[in-house]
Structure formats: structure tokens, C-alpha cells
């Protein structure tokens, strides 16, 4: 089937993207595009609970089915997932993750048309559970995911995110931003899920000092875990009062805070993609992953070295590839942004 010729007036469509906060955000344009093309469709999203806040409350999604991590590892978990998914009577599933659990969700949901990847992006048993395969042409996660809509007759999708934020979170973030007496605010995110994704604390601090001295920025250093807070505190200490430690935040309040910033600098992690979705100018720092695959969409990514090898190796590696990015490289991008020589893609 090359084009969508369903007799359904209001198709019931399941998006399957289970884990990773950043990848969930990168997949949001799929929901937006489906709503644009099928305004009367029932659109559901199956996701693991950790990443659910980035999807929950989205205006183009009718239901968010939240599953516990590891749900697919026991008969009880699989049967429970099947029972929950079948209640929604999905006709179509779209497997945007391309692995066993994401494809299994579509099968358990009872969807007759189960769209997934062909080729190298069809990992594990996904090819067995999906019955309609798309070989992607594009590299970026967002573009690849949107290619899965071609069997539904969608060939030139617009990319928008509409990240769901509560008015109360936006009100708090605006109030906090207004308490910072500086014409511009940069938000620095030193954290990362892998050691190999971390940039050095002293380099973040040097960047904060440059931003303050050259352009009048005050930097706000955000954090999540205890280890990230320690690194954030080190940056603040080294910044000569040009940076402040951000308060403790939830995912949603963090997103609202990022939205108030004029610039966001981070390694490859979930908040980076929040910034892009919220249209905050972004500089992504890359070493152990490829920005062509998961970079800040239509924003700036810096990579001078790549930690090659298996995913397992890159996850456990040190941050030598990140150390190849010097403060001077980041400051050069900042200068280009302020000179207007780096403009946003349309």
C-alpha cells in the first residue's frame, strides 16, 4: 500500500514512542501533522511514564496511554498493556521508535495497519510486528518519524511541536525571569544521561563570563539529579557571579523556564529538545552522538570529534570527544548569532 485509501472518516491512530524524554519531544510533530490532516481522528500515544509529561496535555492528542518501564518483560505486563490498548479500538499504529516493545504495542492494540521502519531503523522484532514498512530517506529522528506518515498520504508535512505547558508554569517562569536584572538570559544545561555527553564545568563558566562581558547576559544553570546539581554549583562558583543556580524544577516548569531564555546551551539531552520545541535559540554540544540524527532541529550543533563505536561503548566512554569543543568554538557561534550571520531556518 503506497497511499492511504481508508474508508474511515475518523481513523483511530496510535503513536508508539515509549522512552527517552528527548525522543518523545522529537516525535511530537507526528501528532501535530496527523491532526492537521485528519482533524476528526482519534489520536492516542503509548509511552512509558517517565517521558509522559512531555506528551500529556498536548492539544492534538486525545489519549496518552502510560505504561510502566519494563511492562513487556512479563506475561502479566503484556496482558495488562493489551487490555488497556484494546479499549481504544485503534485502526492504525505508527511505530516511531522501531524496536520490539514499540512495535508490540501496536500489535497488542489490535491495529490492522501497523506502520514501521524498514532497513537499519527496524530494530529487534519490530519488523515482525509491523505489517507496513517505510524505508526512511532522512537521518534526523523527527524527519524519519514524519516519513512514517507517507502510507497515510502525507508527503510534505509541516513541522511544529506545540509542547504542552500549563499557564501556571508559564506564570511562575515569567516571574522568575523578571527577577533576574539582566537584558538577556542564557540557560546552561550541563547535565547528560551519559558521561560521554558532558562538557566541562569550567568551560560552561567561561562561556557564562563571556556572555556577560560581551553581551550583558546573566546565565542560569539548570539541573535535575544530585550529580547535576553539584556540577551546576561548580559552574556558578567559577562564573564570577555571572551565573545563578536554577531552582529545583519539574519537567514542565523546566520547560517553561527554558521558554523565557534568550539562549540555551546544552549537550545532547532532553532539555535541549525542549528548547528547540519552545523556539529558544539553541547551541547543542555533541561528542558521543551525531547531531544529524538527534541534533537541535534547525538550530546550531557543534561537533569537533566523534566517539565512534557501539552504543554500549559510547554510553560508557569518557568525554574526550566533548573536550574537543573549546570555549572559543562556542563563543564564536554566539558572536555569529549576535551578528546575524546565523539565522533560524524557516
Amino acid at each position: 500500500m503506497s497511499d492511504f485509501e481508508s474508508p474511515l472518516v475518523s481513523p483511530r491512530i496510535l503513536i508508539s514512542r515509549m522512552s527517552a524524554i528527548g525522543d518523545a519531544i522529537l516525535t511530537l510533530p507526528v501528532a501535530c501533522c496527523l491532526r492537521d490532516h485528519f482533524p476528526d481522528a482519534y489520536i492516542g500515544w503509548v509511552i512509558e511514564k517517565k517521558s509522559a509529561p512531555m506528551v500529556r496535555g498536548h492539544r492534538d492528542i486525545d489519549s496518552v496511554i502510560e505504561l510502566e518501564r519494563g511492562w513487556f518483560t512479563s506475561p502479566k505486563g503484556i496482558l495488562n498493556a493489551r487490555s488497556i490498548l484494546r479499549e481504544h479500538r485503534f485502526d492504525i499504529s505508527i511505530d516511531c521508535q522501531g524496536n520490539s516493545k514499540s512495535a508490540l504495542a501496536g500489535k497488542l492494540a489490535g491495529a490492522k495497519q501497523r506502520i514501521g521502519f524498514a532497513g537499519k531503523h527496524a530494530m529487534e522484532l519490530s519488523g515482525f510486528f509491523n505489517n507496513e514498512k517505510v524505508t526512511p530517506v532522512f537521518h534526523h529522528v523527527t524527519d524519519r518519524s514524519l516519513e512514517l506518515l507517507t502510507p497515510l498520504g502525507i508527503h510534505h508535512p509541516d513541522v511544529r511541536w506545540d509542547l504542552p505547558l500549563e499557564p501556571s508554569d508559564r506564570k511562575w517562569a515569567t516571574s522568575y525571569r523578571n527577577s533576574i536584572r539582566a537584558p538577556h538570559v542564557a540557560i546552561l544545561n550541563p547535565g547528560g544521561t551519559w558521561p560521554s555527553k558532558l562538557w566541562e564545568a569550567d568551560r560552561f563558566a567561561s562561556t557564562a563570563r563571556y556572555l556577560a562581558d560581551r553581551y550583558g547576559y546573566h546565565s542560569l544553570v539548570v539541573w535535575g539529579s544530585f550529580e547535576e546539581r553539584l556540577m551546576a554549583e561548580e559552574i556558578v562558583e567559577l562564573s564570577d557571579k555571572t551565573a545563578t543556580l536554577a531552582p529545583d524544577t519539574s519537567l514542565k516548569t523546566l520547560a517553561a523556564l527554558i521558554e523565557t531564555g534568550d539562549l540555551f546551551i546544552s549537550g545532547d539531552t532532553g532539555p535541549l529538545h525542549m528548547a528547540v520545541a519552545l523556539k529558544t535559540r539553541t547551541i547543542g554540544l555533541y561528542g558521543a552522538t551525531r547531531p544529524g540524527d538527534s541534533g537541535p532541529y534547525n538550530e546550531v550543533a557543534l561537533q569537533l570529534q566523534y566517539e565512534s563505536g557501539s552504543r554500549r561503548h559510547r554510553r560508557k566512554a569518557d568525554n574526550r570527544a566533548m573536550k574537543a569543543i573549546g570555549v572559543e568554538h562556542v563563543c564564536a557561534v554566539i558572536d555569529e548569532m549576535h551578528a546575524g550571520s546565523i539565522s533560524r531556518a524557516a
Side-chain angles (χ1 to χ4, degrees):
M1 184 182 300
S2 58
D3 289 303
F4 185 58
E5 299 178 353
S6 171
L8 298 170
V9 175
S10 304
R12 303 178 71 85
I13 305 172
L14 175 67
I15 299 168
S16 182
R17 182 85 215 193
M18 293 286 179
S19 55
I21 292 165
D23 288 337
I25 296 169
L26 288 170
T27 308
L28 284 176
V30 171
C32 298
C33 188
L34 285 170
R35 181 61 67 204
D36 289 343
H37 285 77
F38 302 107
D40 298 322
Y42 179 86
I43 299 173
W45 189 309
V46 59
I47 192 168
E48 291 177 353
K49 289 185 182 295
K50 179 182 178 181
S51 301
M54 293 296 95
V55 176
R56 195 186 302 130
H58 195 284
R59 66 186 185 185
D60 292 329
I61 299 171
D62 296 294
S63 63
V64 178
I65 300 105
E66 299 179 29
L67 301 178
E68 297 290 346
R69 184 178 180 183
W71 63 272
F72 59 98
T73 60
S74 71
K76 182 179 179 180
I78 291 172
L79 289 172
N80 180 61
R82 182 182 185 277
S83 175
I84 295 170
L85 288 163
R86 288 285 171 123
E87 292 176 1
H88 297 269
R89 298 178 286 110
F90 290 111
D91 309 299
I92 302 162
S93 67
I94 303 171
D95 173 17
C96 296
Q97 192 162 342
N99 63 16
S100 296
K101 64 181 178 181
S102 57
L104 175 60
K107 178 70 172 179
L108 294 174
K112 291 184 179 179
Q113 186 178 10
R114 300 185 298 279
I115 305 169
F117 293 114
K120 68 178 183 179
H121 296 293
M123 297 177 289
E124 302 171 352
L125 297 176
S126 62
F128 175 76
F129 294 121
N130 295 322
N131 59 15
E132 189 156 359
K133 317 291 176 58
V134 175
T135 302
V137 174
F138 295 104
H139 295 290
H140 197 278
V141 171
T142 296
D143 294 323
R144 288 203 312 264
S145 297
L146 288 168
E147 284 187 89
L148 293 174
L149 304 184
T150 56
L152 305 182
I154 302 171
H155 298 284
H156 302 286
D158 293 328
V159 178
R160 60 183 175 86
W161 314 90
D162 296 341
L163 193 70
L165 294 181
E166 296 295 330
S168 59
D169 293 331
R170 281 193 160 115
K171 182 178 179 181
W172 170 82
T174 299
S175 176
Y176 189 88
R177 164 62 184 92
N178 290 340
S179 72
I180 300 172
R181 302 303 179 187
H184 307 292
V185 168
I187 298 178
L188 311 181
N189 177 48
T193 52
W194 301 356
S196 53
K197 292 183 178 183
L198 302 180
W199 206 40
E200 300 291 287
D202 64 322
R203 301 186 188 196
F204 273 109
S206 295
T207 303
R209 294 196 301 270
Y210 183 83
L211 283 164
D213 294 343
R214 187 71 180 266
Y215 299 109
Y217 278 77
H218 187 77
S219 293
L220 190 61
V221 190
V222 296
W223 53 278
S225 66
F226 175 74
E227 292 77 12
E228 289 175 6
R229 175 164 181 152
L230 292 178
M231 188 175 180
E233 288 175 343
E234 183 181 359
I235 293 167
V236 171
E237 184 178 352
L238 295 171
S239 73
D240 294 337
K241 299 182 179 180
T242 63
T244 300
L245 184 71
D248 190 8
T249 57
S250 66
L251 283 176
K252 287 292 185 73
T253 53
L254 173 60
L257 193 59
I258 290 170
E259 188 179 38
T260 69
D262 301 291
L263 176 65
F264 186 84
I265 304 175
S266 172
D268 179 18
T269 188
L272 176 82
H273 304 298
M274 287 182 192
V276 174
L278 294 164
K279 301 180 180 179
T280 299
R281 293 304 304 257
T282 301
I283 301 174
L285 311 176
Y286 282 73
T289 51
R290 294 285 199 189
D293 181 71
S294 59
Y297 197 85
N298 284 343
E299 291 287 340
V300 177
L302 276 173
Q303 182 166 49
L304 275 74
Q305 290 185 15
Y306 176 61
E307 183 70 47
S308 61
S310 68
R311 179 181 175 86
R312 180 182 177 85
H313 164 76
R314 290 182 290 113
R315 188 183 187 98
K316 300 294 184 182
D318 62 23
N319 65 341
R320 74 187 74 182
M322 290 291 282
K323 288 179 181 178
I325 303 171
V327 175
E328 69 277 14
H329 301 123
V330 176
C331 292
V333 172
I334 292 167
D335 290 342
E336 290 173 11
M337 283 181 168
H338 276 267
S341 56
I342 295 180
S343 60
R344 291 179 183 274

